[in-house]
Amino acid sequence: MMTGKEKLAKEETLELRKKHIGPSCKLFYKDDPIKILRASGVYMYDEQGCRYLDCINNVCHVGHCNPYVVSAAMQQMLVLNTNSRFLHDNVVLYAQRLLSYFPKELCVCYFVNSGSEANDLALRMARTHTGKKDVITLNHAYHGHLSSLIDISPYKFNQPGGEGQRDWVHVASVPDVYRGNYTDKDYTLDECSEKYADEVKQLCDKANQQGGGVSLFVAESMQSCGGQIVFPPGYLCRVYKHVRAAGGVCLADEVQVGFGRVGSHMWAFQTQGDDVVPDIVTLGKPMGNGHPVSVVVTTRDIADSFGATGIEYFNTFGGNPVSATIADAVLDVIENDKLRENATFIGNYLIQEFNSMKQKHDIIGDVRGQGMFLGVDLVKDRETRTPATAEAAYINQRLKEEHVLLSCDGPHRNVLKFKPPLVFNLDNAKELLEKVDKIMTEMETAECDASAVIASKGGAKQKM
């Protein structure tokens, strides 16, 4: 039986991984990966007992190995776990509870095992319902690892080795008001919103003129891989109207940002206004606090269209009794421990403190996000907003040495990306801020050549 004890020396583990695990399966910090044996709350522990502050594990939404969630899972596993075709209370009661957090139009669930499965199913449903094929996606988007989703994820298909853009895929600009096509240097936020939304309208017109027609507009409600992008007010409202006028439906991918991560609301799409209601919502990662469970939430009309084909949808494990129990326990913890309120408080504190730090360190160009979904955009020059890619990689590497786990993302890999478990507290936030400040000060006083340091470690281009 596997336990939390080390069975192999780190070097042996790494050697076996190289031998038996596919080379495309990458590790964090690939030149010196961390071997993690156990975790609790916001901390992870390596084989030597070193403790790391986890600022990136949005999967363990209510904290690593949350005792309440673990206990609920164990109790259900002692009684029953079985094929999802058997009638059972857990999944229907959970569906009823989950749907109570959504606008009334979103009233039907399809349970699956991962965000990728959820987005793949959503794509099928949209095409069935509309009778059309074309998809509008945002640049730099990532929606999952299945073939169907790689095709609508520029984050993958536009990379070296990617297969490029399909003729039925239309890519709209990310509504990034800091370094996108339309920025706050030249336009008001409302003007940015209108201009970015108009791009989507033009793509809808193009798809209809070419004959494929728009089946789906898909976007994370706040974009993660694009660099923690918060859309300008009114953007989703405008886009959803354009897409629906063209005969398509709208999908909000909440796999990264759902379940209260933004603090003010349960779902990030709600931050765009009460009148913003997607036709399909996909949920994953945080839903089971690390247990593989996810769901597609949609309208009765779309569900009926999908069912009218006569082709059964079947998922062996989707919403099984154990998965439903775990997901329900996660909701209990979010509510009982007031984790949405905590996300708001800690998020506001971090934004305030990073903005104060911005007055001290010229490398900080922009601080953005909401709740516990934040990004610090690093620049070489604030006027030109030139991305500080090597510097971001250097800071990330130094944070690891200081036992803090963070990551870099965005198209230039220059955005420090913060998305920890929601139990992250004030002391944790102060530790993160202290260490980032310390490293930036070191870089300035020592006139550190981050490019040379990172190049010597081979880490400037690695994804963490």
Side-chain angles (χ1 to χ4, degrees):
M1 182 179 71
M2 295 291 183
T3 68
K5 296 180 179 179
E6 187 179 30
K7 301 197 175 296
L8 302 169
K10 179 178 175 178
E11 293 74 19
E12 293 178 89
T13 305
L14 194 54
E15 194 56 39
L16 280 177
R17 184 180 176 95
K18 289 176 181 176
K19 183 177 180 180
H20 296 304
I21 307 298
S24 298
C25 302
K26 303 299 184 183
L27 290 166
F28 288 137
Y29 312 103
K30 65 179 182 180
D31 296 308
D32 183 24
I34 305 171
K35 183 176 181 180
I36 297 295
L37 293 193
R38 66 183 182 91
S40 177
V42 297
Y43 292 106
M44 304 181 79
Y45 299 82
D46 70 11
E47 80 283 1
Q48 296 178 338
C50 293
R51 188 180 79 172
Y52 292 84
L53 178 63
D54 184 1
C55 302
I56 55 176
N57 244 305
N58 59 325
V59 177
C60 297
H61 196 61
V62 297
H64 289 277
C65 303
N66 183 283
Y68 182 85
V69 176
V70 171
S71 176
M74 289 174 62
Q75 293 304 311
Q76 182 57 49
M77 289 178 77
L78 287 169
V79 178
L80 173 71
N81 196 26
T82 186
N83 188 306
S84 61
R85 288 206 209 196
F86 290 103
L87 188 63
H88 197 274
D89 290 344
N90 289 9
V91 69
V92 295
L93 289 173
Y94 178 74
Q96 181 182 50
R97 182 181 185 185
L98 179 68
L99 292 170
S100 71
Y101 293 97
F102 282 94
K104 65 181 186 304
E105 297 92 335
L106 294 162
C107 58
V108 183
C109 292
Y110 291 79
F111 287 91
V112 289
N113 304 297
S114 70
S116 291
E117 279 194 16
N119 282 328
D120 177 74
L121 177 58
L123 181 58
R124 285 177 55 195
M125 294 170 75
R127 284 175 167 165
T128 300
H129 180 70
T130 63
K132 300 174 181 179
K133 182 178 182 181
D134 288 18
V135 174
I136 298 174
T137 187
L138 296 182
N139 202 9
H140 313 306
Y142 175 67
H143 294 290
H145 61 78
L146 300 182
S147 297
S148 62
L149 304 175
I150 296 296
D151 285 344
I152 63 171
S153 298
Y155 184 77
K156 291 295 184 181
F157 71 63
N158 271 341
Q159 296 297 319
E163 295 186 1
Q165 186 174 335
R166 307 290 187 186
D167 58 6
W168 49 270
V169 175
H170 307 273
V171 180
S173 299
V174 181
D176 178 356
V177 300
Y178 184 71
R179 61 171 67 255
N181 290 344
Y182 310 104
T183 71
D184 55 9
K185 290 176 70 174
D186 303 308
Y187 303 97
T188 66
L189 289 182
D190 191 61
E191 287 170 338
C192 287
S193 173
E194 187 172 8
K195 286 181 177 295
Y196 281 117
D198 191 57
E199 280 194 20
V200 176
K201 182 181 185 303
Q202 292 173 35
L203 291 175
C204 288
D205 293 342
K206 178 183 175 183
N208 283 334
Q209 288 163 8
Q210 291 177 345
V214 179
S215 68
L216 182 69
F217 168 80
V218 54
E220 291 181 276
S221 305
M222 293 180 181
Q223 197 188 55
S224 179
C225 289
Q228 307 295 86
I229 305 301
V230 178
F231 304 153
Y235 173 74
L236 285 182
C237 182
R238 288 179 165 113
V239 166
Y240 284 10
K241 285 178 181 176
H242 293 327
V243 172
R244 286 167 177 155
V249 296
C250 303
L251 189 161
D253 182 335
E254 294 269 339
V255 171
Q256 297 269 7
V257 291
F259 288 96
R261 176 155 296 279
V262 297
S264 62
H265 299 80
M266 194 65 164
W267 318 115
F269 71 79
Q270 295 171 313
T271 65
Q272 287 268 307
D274 293 338
D275 54 346
V276 175
V277 181
D279 303 292
I280 308 174
V281 180
T282 51
L283 309 175
K285 294 184 194 302
M287 185 173 170
N289 209 50
H291 177 85
V293 57
S294 59
V295 67
V296 177
V297 178
T298 192
T299 65
R300 174 58 62 186
D301 283 348
I302 292 175
D304 286 347
S305 293
F306 192 59
T309 64
I311 300 174
E312 175 192 23
Y313 177 75
F314 170 56
N315 191 302
T316 305
F317 300 114
N320 68 70
V322 170
S323 293
T325 295
I326 291 171
D328 194 55
V330 168
L331 288 181
D332 284 344
V333 177
I334 292 171
E335 291 180 357
N336 296 338
D337 293 355
K338 299 187 179 344
L339 293 187
R340 275 181 49 199
E341 292 86 341
N342 188 60
T344 296
F345 174 72
I346 298 298
N348 288 343
Y349 174 76
L350 283 169
I351 289 172
Q352 170 191 299
E353 293 303 309
F354 273 122
N355 274 317
S356 294
M357 204 182 294
K358 182 178 175 182
Q359 308 308 311
K360 180 179 177 183
H361 301 296
D362 290 342
I363 194 173
I364 298 177
D366 189 42
V367 180
R368 55 180 175 260
Q370 184 174 327
M372 291 201 196
F373 184 80
L374 305 178
V376 179
D377 195 310
L378 304 183
V379 297
K380 292 179 179 292
D381 180 279
R382 285 186 182 170
E383 184 59 33
T384 63
R385 300 182 178 180
T386 305
T389 301
E391 290 81 358
Y394 176 79
I395 291 169
N396 197 51
Q397 181 63 35
R398 280 286 292 113
L399 281 170
K400 178 203 168 195
E401 294 167 5
E402 295 284 339
H403 298 105
V404 173
L405 305 180
L406 203 63
S407 64
C408 304
D409 219 329
H412 306 288
R413 297 272 187 262
N414 69 306
V415 179
L416 300 181
K417 184 175 182 178
F418 175 81
K419 51 188 183 72
L422 293 196
V423 292
F424 207 83
N425 64 30
L426 191 58
D427 287 338
N428 305 143
K430 288 178 179 177
E431 179 181 352
L432 169 65
L433 290 161
E434 244 173 60
K435 291 181 175 178
V436 171
D437 182 42
K438 171 187 171 182
I439 293 164
M440 288 182 176
T441 301
E442 285 174 4
M443 292 171 70
E444 292 159 358
T445 56
E447 295 185 353
C448 171
D449 186 348
S451 299
V453 174
I454 292 297
S456 71
K457 294 178 179 290
K461 294 181 181 178
Q462 74 179 36
K463 179 180 183 290
M464 297 191 230

